[in-house]
Amino acid sequence: MEYEISLATTMAISVLFALSLNLITGFCGQISLGHAAFLGVGAYTSGMLAKAGVPFLLTLPAAMLLASALGVIVGFASLRVRADFLAITTMGVGFLFVGVVRQQDALGAEMGISAIPDAGMSKFAFMLFAVLAAAAVALLSVYVRGCWMGRVFGAIAEDEDTVRVLGIDVPRFKLTAFALGTALAGLAGALYAQQLKFIAPDSFGFIESITVLSMVVVGGIGSVVGVTVSAAVLSVLPSWFQVIGDYKLLVYGGLLFLMMRFSPGGMAALVARIFHPDRWGTK
Amino acid sequence: MLYVELIAQGLIQGSIYALIALGLTLVYGLLRILHVAHAAFFTLGGYVGVVVANQTGSLAAAIVAAMIVAGLGGIVVFRLCYQPILHQPPFVPLIASIGLYIAAEELFRIVFGPSGLTYKYAFLQGEVELLGFLRFKTGELVVVFGSAAIIGVLSLLQTRTRIGVACQATVSDPQMAESFGISLSRVGDINFFVGSALAAFAGVMVSVLNNMVEPTMGSVPSYKALAIIVLGGLGSVRGTLVAALVLGVVESFGTIYLGHFLDRNAIAFAFLILVLMWRPQGLFARS
């Protein structure tokens, strides 16, 4: 039972993290190849504060705020550069985060932080907490997509210049997407640190950024249900099948490539195609 | 003295970057896609090089074999992977390419083992002294002058031959070029062949210098090369070459003066981000 509880916690945290990227990349169309940096900011903030004696629940807002503050700074970059340039800039942010943390003795350098104090919750309560947080973020995503702001996000993703011409303040919406998405990534990071009780810079590198991007892409960019399902499945696949565990990256890489090559809309598009063959290609 | 040495080391590293980044820039100029999987051909070059060199004992044969195998591999990737998704929004080929690269790196690990291969013979390990105080490995000089020669020949070919002019025409206006009877697929083949072959050459040289071929040897150069072509203004060949050399020098100074605060990769990307915030179109963009 212990094992299932920890799997479910991992799943919930991955879903939360993937949904946070989905807000930025899926809804607002701003591609990010460095999202794991914000997971890292959240994890380090929560971990350091917890070690300083702050109760776990109080570290959550701090983790979200700090991640979000950095997210807004990166968001400013998205106002300066677009598309391919933005992808490479965010990738740079990811490398910068790992590179800086690695050299800071205060943050444990290469060794990271270990023995993060317990939250005082049982394993089961912590799992429930993580699942509830993920569910809340999923509901929030559905709400955001339906509201005025979400529609503007969609329009920016579709055709930024037209939105600008319509007199909508594009920078404000982009920054909001970054602030929201990175705050949620910070929350996921805090949960991650609490679950493992140990964090190191390499857990927040480029591979992790690509892993979460592949969850979003495989699920279907912008689709809340698709991303939730794919994040849940992809996060536990490696532990379920040891074979896949060894070939984890091969499977991720292969899935990413095949999905883009044959169904750029992800699983969501595949399912839609199966159930509504008449609407083929309209979306 | 230290400065001259740092600059020299930076230029050596920079010419390796240039060899890798040139292929990326050719692909970007033509297809507008960020070809992350390009670095797989750098690694492939290293592996073909070490295998052929250990079998035949000839470095020249290893280089030629590596360049041909990687070049053909480049064409296959273009035809099978990129050509069918060119009409999709730009993030589609980008993510496909990242997936392809990660899968390729894992394939190298599975096929050749995680610990890497070494050369049986010591190639180009002799030392040369220049100006009395600079010492280089022969291999390092071969890298610098070899890449300068290759790039020089390529630029001649590009301006003096029909096929070179066809490539240029396609980059500046694909539709017009096509209506003049230039086959876009063939131009793509040529660009992928040349770019991948250059990366393979770099792969052989780096593996000779370090006497090591590893599955992950391509990952850092691949991200660096992306930074370089973005710095150079995406698609500008001259910009890429300058940016590669500049980045090599910035890194070699940075590791000395900023090393305790940022590691080598972080320095490269910090420089990239600073430049992009100042000039979002890169250092040398064509309008």
Side-chain angles (χ1 to χ4, degrees):
Chain A
M1 199 54 198
E2 186 94 327
Y3 179 62
E4 280 79 9
I5 289 177
S6 111
L7 270 191
T9 317
T10 307
M11 252 177 166
I13 295 174
S14 295
V15 168
L16 178 48
F17 186 38
L19 285 172
S20 78
L21 178 62
N22 192 39
L23 268 172
I24 301 173
T25 301
F27 289 3
C28 201
Q30 305 304 302
I31 194 146
S32 171
L33 296 180
H35 203 54
F38 303 106
L39 184 78
V41 172
Y44 271 92
T45 311
S46 169
M48 294 301 285
L49 284 177
K51 286 200 84 156
V54 179
F56 169 66
L57 287 178
L58 288 183
T59 68
L60 293 181
M64 291 173 75
L65 270 180
L66 197 58
S68 178
L70 288 173
V72 170
I73 294 177
V74 176
F76 275 111
S78 81
L79 307 181
R80 266 314 254 167
V81 294
R82 282 202 210 173
D84 292 339
F85 284 91
L86 180 63
I88 301 305
T89 308
T90 51
M91 183 175 100
V93 170
F95 276 96
L96 207 53
F97 173 77
V98 174
V100 170
V101 170
R102 234 184 221 155
Q103 306 288 329
Q104 307 310 311
D105 292 330
L107 296 176
E110 294 277 0
M111 306 300 298
I113 313 178
S114 51
I116 294 168
D118 207 69
M121 289 188 222
S122 69
K123 289 251 184 259
F124 185 71
F126 184 67
M127 178 204 83
L128 273 187
F129 184 75
V131 169
L132 283 179
V137 172
L139 286 178
L140 177 75
S141 297
V142 172
Y143 170 75
V144 165
R145 193 175 50 185
C147 74
W148 162 248
M149 184 172 74
R151 282 156 201 262
V152 177
F153 284 172
I156 292 176
E158 202 72 34
D159 186 346
E160 192 182 322
D161 293 322
T162 307
V163 179
R164 226 176 267 269
V165 169
L166 289 174
I168 290 169
D169 188 3
V170 172
R172 211 181 71 204
F173 284 96
K174 275 193 186 175
L175 289 181
T176 312
F178 269 94
L180 208 58
T182 53
L184 294 174
L187 176 64
L191 294 174
Y192 177 90
Q194 183 53 230
Q195 192 205 0
L196 295 185
K197 307 270 190 272
F198 163 74
I199 45 177
D202 285 337
S203 320
F204 309 107
F206 187 61
I207 293 295
E208 187 60 31
S209 293
I210 294 306
T211 307
V212 67
L213 185 64
S214 68
M215 287 171 180
V216 171
V217 165
V218 168
I221 287 184
S223 155
V224 177
V225 178
V227 171
T228 305
V229 172
S230 83
V233 173
L234 286 180
S235 60
V236 295
L237 262 191
S239 0
W240 273 349
F241 304 103
Q242 212 51 53
V243 188
I244 296 186
D246 289 344
Y247 298 96
K248 180 182 162 196
L249 285 175
L250 187 64
V251 172
Y252 270 134
L255 266 181
L256 265 187
F257 170 69
L258 291 175
M259 218 30 141
M260 286 296 102
R261 169 73 176 76
F262 294 105
S263 170
M267 285 195 309
L270 274 183
V271 171
R273 228 187 260 178
I274 291 163
F275 287 105
H276 307 281
D278 45 321
R279 277 196 266 154
W280 238 75
T282 49
K283 178 159 182 332
Chain B
M1 292 297 163
L2 177 65
Y3 288 161
V4 180
E5 238 175 283
L6 284 178
I7 291 175
Q9 287 302 328
L11 291 179
I12 293 168
Q13 191 60 41
S15 37
I16 292 171
Y17 288 157
L19 282 175
I20 304 172
L22 207 60
L24 275 184
T25 256
L26 287 177
V27 171
Y28 191 90
L30 187 68
L31 305 176
R32 304 278 136 192
I33 52 181
L34 290 170
H35 177 29
V36 180
H38 184 61
F41 294 108
F42 172 77
T43 316
L44 180 66
Y47 275 111
V48 174
V50 77
V51 169
V52 173
N54 285 350
Q55 291 294 324
T56 63
S58 153
L59 184 62
I63 291 178
V64 171
M67 289 176 80
I68 291 176
V69 170
L72 295 178
I75 295 180
V76 170
V77 164
F78 167 58
R79 287 294 175 114
L80 293 185
C81 305
Y82 289 133
Q83 213 171 25
I85 47 176
L86 281 180
H87 58 281
Q88 302 282 358
F91 74 85
V92 173
L94 173 65
I95 295 173
S97 186
I98 293 172
L100 199 60
Y101 178 66
I102 293 175
E105 206 175 63
E106 286 296 290
L107 273 182
F108 288 129
R109 187 176 63 87
I110 292 162
V111 174
F112 294 102
S115 51
L117 305 176
T118 52
Y119 284 85
K120 273 199 290 191
Y121 311 95
F123 294 111
L124 307 176
Q125 298 292 342
E127 293 216 334
V128 181
E129 214 172 71
L130 285 184
L131 300 175
F133 64 94
L134 287 173
R135 299 177 71 81
F136 297 105
K137 283 185 190 166
T138 323
E140 293 175 333
L141 294 181
V142 172
V143 168
V144 173
F145 292 109
S147 31
I150 290 180
I151 289 164
V153 169
L154 275 180
S155 74
L156 273 183
L157 288 179
Q158 202 171 32
T159 45
R160 302 292 158 81
T161 60
R162 278 185 76 83
I163 201 83
V165 174
C167 288
Q168 281 187 315
T170 313
V171 169
S172 55
D173 191 339
Q175 272 175 347
M176 192 58 90
E178 198 168 21
S179 63
F180 272 87
I182 296 170
S183 156
L184 295 190
S185 304
R186 266 195 59 208
V187 170
D189 289 347
I190 291 168
N191 276 6
F192 270 85
F193 185 89
V194 171
S196 309
L198 287 180
F201 176 65
V204 177
M205 292 317 297
V206 167
S207 65
V208 164
L209 284 174
N210 300 336
N211 193 18
M212 186 65 167
V213 187
E214 290 174 292
T216 53
M217 68 186 255
S219 58
V220 168
S222 109
Y223 313 136
K224 289 268 179 70
L226 289 174
I228 288 164
I229 67 167
V230 169
L231 272 178
L234 281 180
S236 146
V237 172
R238 209 179 326 145
T240 301
L241 292 180
V242 177
L245 296 177
V246 169
L247 188 71
V249 174
V250 165
E251 271 188 22
S252 75
F253 276 87
T255 34
I256 298 290
Y257 294 105
L258 298 170
H260 58 282
F261 182 66
L262 292 168
D263 67 6
R264 196 180 174 99
N265 299 336
I267 290 169
F269 282 103
F271 181 63
L272 167 82
I273 292 171
L274 283 180
V275 171
L276 280 187
M277 291 306 108
W278 166 54
R279 276 181 70 89
Q281 69 279 48
L283 280 175
F284 310 94
R286 293 174 298 192
S287 68

